Amino acid sequence: MSSDLSLQKVSRHFGETRAVDDVSLDIRSGQFVGVIGRSGAGKSTMLRLINRLVDPTEGAILYEGRDITALKGKALREWRRDCAMIFQQFNLVERLDVLTNVLIGRLAEHGFVSSMAMRFSDEERAMAIQALDRLDLVPQALQRAGTLSGGQQQRVAIAKALVQQPKIMLADEPIASLDPANATLVMDGLKTINREDGITVLVNLHTLDTARAYCDRIIAMRQGRVFFDGTAAQLTDDVVRDIYGLEGLREFNEAVTSTSVHSSVLA
Ligand SMILES: Nc1ncnc2c1ncn2[C@@H]1O[C@H](COP(=O)(O)OP(=O)(O)O)[C@@H](O)[C@H]1O
Ligand SMILES: [Mg+2]
């Protein structure tokens, strides 16, 4: 089976640091992939490489057979529209209303002049309302984004990404600053668009439980390398211990839900 997104021996060095080190991955369209690993493992850099926020030191990234690391100008802008990015800190314009924030997701489609004027067609407004409706945010459409809760703001960010009509959604720890109830709503939102629209989701997660609950496939990174790549069922306690290490287990209390992890670490 050919893969739609393919990382081929990709590395990104920052000085002496090998943030991403010889990573090869094939991701089929429509997969819901979770990336886990300790802080500094290279998760963010991997997403940024795909989105071309950073360029690889070595290797190639192909989408549908085309090397996206060589794209420039209009083709690069189109690629960035195709792989929408969601960040931990929402990235909304807080003083603007929710609907306008979502419409900003359409600006990639506009020429420079109409972008400056922020003029949107009725069709685009309808698209934005529909995206908000899917995330249960229509009642907040005219509220200033800054007045919403963190969880609501992150769902606005997903709606904004949706109107870009992306093929891939890259989410870098989208729930790291949310309480569990809001985290669930945000993850459910991502799952819905993955299932209903077939959008590939690649999400960096800091909690193992979330990765287990939502992801078809879990990739664990350690020191820039892919350390594990499989299903939640294949992610055994021993693998978890190796991913996070002894220190990491303290940070990732959620990971330590079974006594076998405790005993094997302490043994
Ligand atoms: N722009 C940068 N300049 C220098 N070092 C960086 C830069 N971005 C990431 N790094 C380093 O690369 C490594 C991987 O970082 P990152 O991808 O942010 O990991 P993660 O998201 O898993 O926490 C870390 O050692 C980090 O300090
Ligand atoms: Mg990160």
Side-chain angles (χ1 to χ4, degrees), residues 226-252:
V226 171
F227 183 77
F228 168 86
D229 184 355
T231 62
Q234 291 165 333
L235 191 61
T236 61
D237 291 346
D238 281 349
V239 178
V240 169
R241 184 199 52 202
D242 288 344
I243 294 164
Y244 293 112
L246 193 53
E247 250 175 81
L249 276 179
R250 273 180 222 120
E251 289 167 38
F252 293 89

PDB file of all heavy atoms in Angstrom, residues 226-252:
ATOM      1  N   VAL A 226      12.392   7.417  16.027  1.00  0.00           N
ATOM      2  CA  VAL A 226      11.163   6.673  16.268  1.00  0.00           C
ATOM      3  C   VAL A 226      11.535   5.435  17.067  1.00  0.00           C
ATOM      4  O   VAL A 226      12.333   4.613  16.634  1.00  0.00           O
ATOM      5  CB  VAL A 226      10.471   6.273  14.952  1.00  0.00           C
ATOM      6  CG1 VAL A 226       9.317   5.311  15.230  1.00  0.00           C
ATOM      7  CG2 VAL A 226       9.964   7.516  14.240  1.00  0.00           C
ATOM      8  N   PHE A 227      10.947   5.350  18.248  1.00  0.00           N
ATOM      9  CA  PHE A 227      11.313   4.301  19.188  1.00  0.00           C
ATOM     10  C   PHE A 227      10.272   3.194  19.203  1.00  0.00           C
ATOM     11  O   PHE A 227      10.550   2.045  19.503  1.00  0.00           O
ATOM     12  CB  PHE A 227      11.435   4.952  20.566  1.00  0.00           C
ATOM     13  CG  PHE A 227      11.871   4.024  21.637  1.00  0.00           C
ATOM     14  CD1 PHE A 227      13.199   3.648  21.730  1.00  0.00           C
ATOM     15  CD2 PHE A 227      10.958   3.517  22.550  1.00  0.00           C
ATOM     16  CE1 PHE A 227      13.598   2.781  22.721  1.00  0.00           C
ATOM     17  CE2 PHE A 227      11.358   2.654  23.538  1.00  0.00           C
ATOM     18  CZ  PHE A 227      12.690   2.273  23.630  1.00  0.00           C
ATOM     19  N   PHE A 228       9.040   3.577  18.881  1.00  0.00           N
ATOM     20  CA  PHE A 228       7.935   2.621  18.839  1.00  0.00           C
ATOM     21  C   PHE A 228       6.949   3.116  17.800  1.00  0.00           C
ATOM     22  O   PHE A 228       6.737   4.311  17.643  1.00  0.00           O
ATOM     23  CB  PHE A 228       7.244   2.535  20.211  1.00  0.00           C
ATOM     24  CG  PHE A 228       5.929   1.791  20.181  1.00  0.00           C
ATOM     25  CD1 PHE A 228       5.892   0.409  20.306  1.00  0.00           C
ATOM     26  CD2 PHE A 228       4.728   2.477  19.987  1.00  0.00           C
ATOM     27  CE1 PHE A 228       4.681  -0.269  20.246  1.00  0.00           C
ATOM     28  CE2 PHE A 228       3.517   1.801  19.934  1.00  0.00           C
ATOM     29  CZ  PHE A 228       3.492   0.420  20.070  1.00  0.00           C
ATOM     30  N   ASP A 229       6.354   2.182  17.076  1.00  0.00           N
ATOM     31  CA  ASP A 229       5.356   2.535  16.068  1.00  0.00           C
ATOM     32  C   ASP A 229       4.379   1.373  15.998  1.00  0.00           C
ATOM     33  O   ASP A 229       4.720   0.303  15.501  1.00  0.00           O
ATOM     34  CB  ASP A 229       6.075   2.744  14.716  1.00  0.00           C
ATOM     35  CG  ASP A 229       5.129   3.216  13.617  1.00  0.00           C
ATOM     36  OD1 ASP A 229       3.903   3.287  13.859  1.00  0.00           O
ATOM     37  OD2 ASP A 229       5.632   3.519  12.519  1.00  0.00           O
ATOM     38  N   GLY A 230       3.196   1.579  16.554  1.00  0.00           N
ATOM     39  CA  GLY A 230       2.251   0.468  16.570  1.00  0.00           C
ATOM     40  C   GLY A 230       0.905   0.888  17.123  1.00  0.00           C
ATOM     41  O   GLY A 230       0.606   2.078  17.232  1.00  0.00           O
ATOM     42  N   THR A 231       0.108  -0.096  17.494  1.00  0.00           N
ATOM     43  CA  THR A 231      -1.215   0.195  18.039  1.00  0.00           C
ATOM     44  C   THR A 231      -1.124   0.362  19.556  1.00  0.00           C
ATOM     45  O   THR A 231      -0.121  -0.009  20.170  1.00  0.00           O
ATOM     46  CB  THR A 231      -2.187  -0.971  17.757  1.00  0.00           C
ATOM     47  OG1 THR A 231      -1.685  -2.140  18.421  1.00  0.00           O
ATOM     48  CG2 THR A 231      -2.296  -1.245  16.262  1.00  0.00           C
ATOM     49  N   ALA A 232      -2.212   0.869  20.126  1.00  0.00           N
ATOM     50  CA  ALA A 232      -2.264   1.028  21.584  1.00  0.00           C
ATOM     51  C   ALA A 232      -2.046  -0.312  22.268  1.00  0.00           C
ATOM     52  O   ALA A 232      -1.339  -0.394  23.275  1.00  0.00           O
ATOM     53  CB  ALA A 232      -3.610   1.633  21.986  1.00  0.00           C
ATOM     54  N   ALA A 233      -2.615  -1.362  21.694  1.00  0.00           N
ATOM     55  CA  ALA A 233      -2.488  -2.688  22.307  1.00  0.00           C
ATOM     56  C   ALA A 233      -1.035  -3.171  22.329  1.00  0.00           C
ATOM     57  O   ALA A 233      -0.634  -3.897  23.231  1.00  0.00           O
ATOM     58  CB  ALA A 233      -3.367  -3.690  21.553  1.00  0.00           C
ATOM     59  N   GLN A 234      -0.288  -2.753  21.329  1.00  0.00           N
ATOM     60  CA  GLN A 234       1.118  -3.168  21.263  1.00  0.00           C
ATOM     61  C   GLN A 234       2.025  -2.363  22.204  1.00  0.00           C
ATOM     62  O   GLN A 234       3.173  -2.712  22.417  1.00  0.00           O
ATOM     63  CB  GLN A 234       1.634  -3.033  19.818  1.00  0.00           C
ATOM     64  CG  GLN A 234       0.993  -4.048  18.887  1.00  0.00           C
ATOM     65  CD  GLN A 234       1.208  -3.705  17.420  1.00  0.00           C
ATOM     66  OE1 GLN A 234       1.386  -2.538  17.054  1.00  0.00           O
ATOM     67  NE2 GLN A 234       1.181  -4.717  16.572  1.00  0.00           N
ATOM     68  N   LEU A 235       1.469  -1.256  22.709  1.00  0.00           N
ATOM     69  CA  LEU A 235       2.258  -0.385  23.576  1.00  0.00           C
ATOM     70  C   LEU A 235       2.231  -0.939  25.003  1.00  0.00           C
ATOM     71  O   LEU A 235       1.439  -0.526  25.837  1.00  0.00           O
ATOM     72  CB  LEU A 235       1.665   1.028  23.520  1.00  0.00           C
ATOM     73  CG  LEU A 235       2.450   2.164  24.140  1.00  0.00           C
ATOM     74  CD1 LEU A 235       3.797   2.349  23.468  1.00  0.00           C
ATOM     75  CD2 LEU A 235       1.644   3.451  24.018  1.00  0.00           C
ATOM     76  N   THR A 236       3.092  -1.874  25.262  1.00  0.00           N
ATOM     77  CA  THR A 236       3.088  -2.554  26.562  1.00  0.00           C
ATOM     78  C   THR A 236       3.774  -1.690  27.624  1.00  0.00           C
ATOM     79  O   THR A 236       4.457  -0.715  27.311  1.00  0.00           O
ATOM     80  CB  THR A 236       3.854  -3.882  26.470  1.00  0.00           C
ATOM     81  OG1 THR A 236       5.203  -3.579  26.103  1.00  0.00           O
ATOM     82  CG2 THR A 236       3.233  -4.813  25.439  1.00  0.00           C
ATOM     83  N   ASP A 237       3.602  -2.086  28.864  1.00  0.00           N
ATOM     84  CA  ASP A 237       4.213  -1.366  29.979  1.00  0.00           C
ATOM     85  C   ASP A 237       5.735  -1.267  29.829  1.00  0.00           C
ATOM     86  O   ASP A 237       6.335  -0.245  30.153  1.00  0.00           O
ATOM     87  CB  ASP A 237       3.890  -2.077  31.298  1.00  0.00           C
ATOM     88  CG  ASP A 237       2.417  -1.962  31.658  1.00  0.00           C
ATOM     89  OD1 ASP A 237       1.729  -1.119  31.044  1.00  0.00           O
ATOM     90  OD2 ASP A 237       1.961  -2.699  32.542  1.00  0.00           O
ATOM     91  N   ASP A 238       6.341  -2.330  29.337  1.00  0.00           N
ATOM     92  CA  ASP A 238       7.799  -2.307  29.159  1.00  0.00           C
ATOM     93  C   ASP A 238       8.214  -1.244  28.150  1.00  0.00           C
ATOM     94  O   ASP A 238       9.197  -0.530  28.352  1.00  0.00           O
ATOM     95  CB  ASP A 238       8.300  -3.683  28.669  1.00  0.00           C
ATOM     96  CG  ASP A 238       8.390  -4.676  29.814  1.00  0.00           C
ATOM     97  OD1 ASP A 238       8.265  -4.241  30.985  1.00  0.00           O
ATOM     98  OD2 ASP A 238       8.567  -5.876  29.536  1.00  0.00           O
ATOM     99  N   VAL A 239       7.448  -1.145  27.053  1.00  0.00           N
ATOM    100  CA  VAL A 239       7.763  -0.137  26.036  1.00  0.00           C
ATOM    101  C   VAL A 239       7.581   1.250  26.637  1.00  0.00           C
ATOM    102  O   VAL A 239       8.432   2.127  26.465  1.00  0.00           O
ATOM    103  CB  VAL A 239       6.868  -0.307  24.782  1.00  0.00           C
ATOM    104  CG1 VAL A 239       7.169   0.781  23.766  1.00  0.00           C
ATOM    105  CG2 VAL A 239       7.059  -1.684  24.161  1.00  0.00           C
ATOM    106  N   VAL A 240       6.491   1.422  27.375  1.00  0.00           N
ATOM    107  CA  VAL A 240       6.213   2.717  28.007  1.00  0.00           C
ATOM    108  C   VAL A 240       7.359   3.128  28.921  1.00  0.00           C
ATOM    109  O   VAL A 240       7.838   4.262  28.876  1.00  0.00           O
ATOM    110  CB  VAL A 240       4.889   2.662  28.813  1.00  0.00           C
ATOM    111  CG1 VAL A 240       4.728   3.901  29.688  1.00  0.00           C
ATOM    112  CG2 VAL A 240       3.705   2.526  27.873  1.00  0.00           C
ATOM    113  N   ARG A 241       7.845   2.200  29.702  1.00  0.00           N
ATOM    114  CA  ARG A 241       8.949   2.506  30.611  1.00  0.00           C
ATOM    115  C   ARG A 241      10.180   2.938  29.818  1.00  0.00           C
ATOM    116  O   ARG A 241      10.875   3.880  30.174  1.00  0.00           O
ATOM    117  CB  ARG A 241       9.264   1.274  31.462  1.00  0.00           C
ATOM    118  CG  ARG A 241      10.341   1.517  32.518  1.00  0.00           C
ATOM    119  CD  ARG A 241      10.922   0.206  32.989  1.00  0.00           C
ATOM    120  NE  ARG A 241      11.344  -0.587  31.849  1.00  0.00           N
ATOM    121  CZ  ARG A 241      11.501  -1.907  31.840  1.00  0.00           C
ATOM    122  NH1 ARG A 241      11.233  -2.592  32.909  1.00  0.00           N
ATOM    123  NH2 ARG A 241      11.904  -2.541  30.759  1.00  0.00           N
ATOM    124  N   ASP A 242      10.420   2.264  28.705  1.00  0.00           N
ATOM    125  CA  ASP A 242      11.589   2.621  27.895  1.00  0.00           C
ATOM    126  C   ASP A 242      11.426   3.982  27.211  1.00  0.00           C
ATOM    127  O   ASP A 242      12.402   4.694  26.996  1.00  0.00           O
ATOM    128  CB  ASP A 242      11.848   1.541  26.835  1.00  0.00           C
ATOM    129  CG  ASP A 242      12.385   0.266  27.466  1.00  0.00           C
ATOM    130  OD1 ASP A 242      12.837   0.336  28.625  1.00  0.00           O
ATOM    131  OD2 ASP A 242      12.332  -0.779  26.804  1.00  0.00           O
ATOM    132  N   ILE A 243      10.195   4.314  26.859  1.00  0.00           N
ATOM    133  CA  ILE A 243       9.964   5.609  26.207  1.00  0.00           C
ATOM    134  C   ILE A 243      10.239   6.749  27.181  1.00  0.00           C
ATOM    135  O   ILE A 243      10.923   7.710  26.867  1.00  0.00           O
ATOM    136  CB  ILE A 243       8.502   5.736  25.710  1.00  0.00           C
ATOM    137  CG1 ILE A 243       8.234   4.730  24.591  1.00  0.00           C
ATOM    138  CG2 ILE A 243       8.213   7.158  25.221  1.00  0.00           C
ATOM    139  CD1 ILE A 243       6.743   4.522  24.329  1.00  0.00           C
ATOM    140  N   TYR A 244       9.673   6.629  28.372  1.00  0.00           N
ATOM    141  CA  TYR A 244       9.731   7.761  29.298  1.00  0.00           C
ATOM    142  C   TYR A 244      10.900   7.702  30.273  1.00  0.00           C
ATOM    143  O   TYR A 244      11.281   8.710  30.844  1.00  0.00           O
ATOM    144  CB  TYR A 244       8.404   7.890  30.062  1.00  0.00           C
ATOM    145  CG  TYR A 244       7.259   8.271  29.162  1.00  0.00           C
ATOM    146  CD1 TYR A 244       6.226   7.392  28.881  1.00  0.00           C
ATOM    147  CD2 TYR A 244       7.233   9.528  28.542  1.00  0.00           C
ATOM    148  CE1 TYR A 244       5.187   7.743  28.033  1.00  0.00           C
ATOM    149  CE2 TYR A 244       6.207   9.882  27.695  1.00  0.00           C
ATOM    150  CZ  TYR A 244       5.182   8.982  27.450  1.00  0.00           C
ATOM    151  OH  TYR A 244       4.171   9.339  26.610  1.00  0.00           O
ATOM    152  N   GLY A 245      11.445   6.527  30.490  1.00  0.00           N
ATOM    153  CA  GLY A 245      12.542   6.401  31.444  1.00  0.00           C
ATOM    154  C   GLY A 245      12.036   6.608  32.868  1.00  0.00           C
ATOM    155  O   GLY A 245      10.883   6.963  33.085  1.00  0.00           O
ATOM    156  N   LEU A 246      12.914   6.417  33.825  1.00  0.00           N
ATOM    157  CA  LEU A 246      12.527   6.498  35.228  1.00  0.00           C
ATOM    158  C   LEU A 246      12.067   7.903  35.614  1.00  0.00           C
ATOM    159  O   LEU A 246      11.024   8.090  36.208  1.00  0.00           O
ATOM    160  CB  LEU A 246      13.730   6.071  36.071  1.00  0.00           C
ATOM    161  CG  LEU A 246      13.480   5.779  37.534  1.00  0.00           C
ATOM    162  CD1 LEU A 246      12.351   4.782  37.717  1.00  0.00           C
ATOM    163  CD2 LEU A 246      14.764   5.222  38.151  1.00  0.00           C
ATOM    164  N   GLU A 247      12.851   8.895  35.200  1.00  0.00           N
ATOM    165  CA  GLU A 247      12.507  10.294  35.499  1.00  0.00           C
ATOM    166  C   GLU A 247      11.193  10.674  34.823  1.00  0.00           C
ATOM    167  O   GLU A 247      10.341  11.306  35.412  1.00  0.00           O
ATOM    168  CB  GLU A 247      13.553  11.194  34.846  1.00  0.00           C
ATOM    169  CG  GLU A 247      14.488  11.901  35.744  1.00  0.00           C
ATOM    170  CD  GLU A 247      15.487  12.617  34.857  1.00  0.00           C
ATOM    171  OE1 GLU A 247      15.129  13.697  34.375  1.00  0.00           O
ATOM    172  OE2 GLU A 247      16.584  12.054  34.631  1.00  0.00           O
ATOM    173  N   GLY A 248      11.107  10.268  33.571  1.00  0.00           N
ATOM    174  CA  GLY A 248       9.925  10.600  32.781  1.00  0.00           C
ATOM    175  C   GLY A 248       8.663  10.064  33.404  1.00  0.00           C
ATOM    176  O   GLY A 248       7.622  10.700  33.346  1.00  0.00           O
ATOM    177  N   LEU A 249       8.760   8.925  34.022  1.00  0.00           N
ATOM    178  CA  LEU A 249       7.563   8.336  34.617  1.00  0.00           C
ATOM    179  C   LEU A 249       6.968   9.229  35.698  1.00  0.00           C
ATOM    180  O   LEU A 249       5.768   9.249  35.896  1.00  0.00           O
ATOM    181  CB  LEU A 249       7.867   6.956  35.188  1.00  0.00           C
ATOM    182  CG  LEU A 249       7.800   5.828  34.174  1.00  0.00           C
ATOM    183  CD1 LEU A 249       8.138   4.505  34.836  1.00  0.00           C
ATOM    184  CD2 LEU A 249       6.423   5.733  33.549  1.00  0.00           C
ATOM    185  N   ARG A 250       7.839   9.981  36.382  1.00  0.00           N
ATOM    186  CA  ARG A 250       7.311  10.906  37.386  1.00  0.00           C
ATOM    187  C   ARG A 250       6.513  12.011  36.710  1.00  0.00           C
ATOM    188  O   ARG A 250       5.459  12.394  37.177  1.00  0.00           O
ATOM    189  CB  ARG A 250       8.435  11.480  38.222  1.00  0.00           C
ATOM    190  CG  ARG A 250       8.761  10.586  39.384  1.00  0.00           C
ATOM    191  CD  ARG A 250       9.888  11.152  40.242  1.00  0.00           C
ATOM    192  NE  ARG A 250      10.782  10.072  40.595  1.00  0.00           N
ATOM    193  CZ  ARG A 250      12.060  10.013  40.280  1.00  0.00           C
ATOM    194  NH1 ARG A 250      12.619  11.005  39.619  1.00  0.00           N
ATOM    195  NH2 ARG A 250      12.780   8.984  40.616  1.00  0.00           N
ATOM    196  N   GLU A 251       7.037  12.511  35.584  1.00  0.00           N
ATOM    197  CA  GLU A 251       6.309  13.548  34.840  1.00  0.00           C
ATOM    198  C   GLU A 251       4.992  12.992  34.287  1.00  0.00           C
ATOM    199  O   GLU A 251       4.013  13.689  34.160  1.00  0.00           O
ATOM    200  CB  GLU A 251       7.114  14.018  33.618  1.00  0.00           C
ATOM    201  CG  GLU A 251       8.334  14.835  33.911  1.00  0.00           C
ATOM    202  CD  GLU A 251       9.207  14.953  32.650  1.00  0.00           C
ATOM    203  OE1 GLU A 251       8.634  15.089  31.546  1.00  0.00           O
ATOM    204  OE2 GLU A 251      10.438  14.885  32.780  1.00  0.00           O
ATOM    205  N   PHE A 252       5.010  11.756  33.899  1.00  0.00           N
ATOM    206  CA  PHE A 252       3.877  11.171  33.199  1.00  0.00           C
ATOM    207  C   PHE A 252       3.135  10.210  34.106  1.00  0.00           C
ATOM    208  O   PHE A 252       3.092   9.016  33.878  1.00  0.00           O
ATOM    209  CB  PHE A 252       4.338  10.464  31.925  1.00  0.00           C
ATOM    210  CG  PHE A 252       4.863  11.422  30.921  1.00  0.00           C
ATOM    211  CD1 PHE A 252       6.203  11.774  30.933  1.00  0.00           C
ATOM    212  CD2 PHE A 252       4.034  11.992  29.973  1.00  0.00           C
ATOM    213  CE1 PHE A 252       6.693  12.681  30.021  1.00  0.00           C
ATOM    214  CE2 PHE A 252       4.524  12.897  29.067  1.00  0.00           C
ATOM    215  CZ  PHE A 252       5.852  13.250  29.089  1.00  0.00           C
TER     216      PHE A 252
END
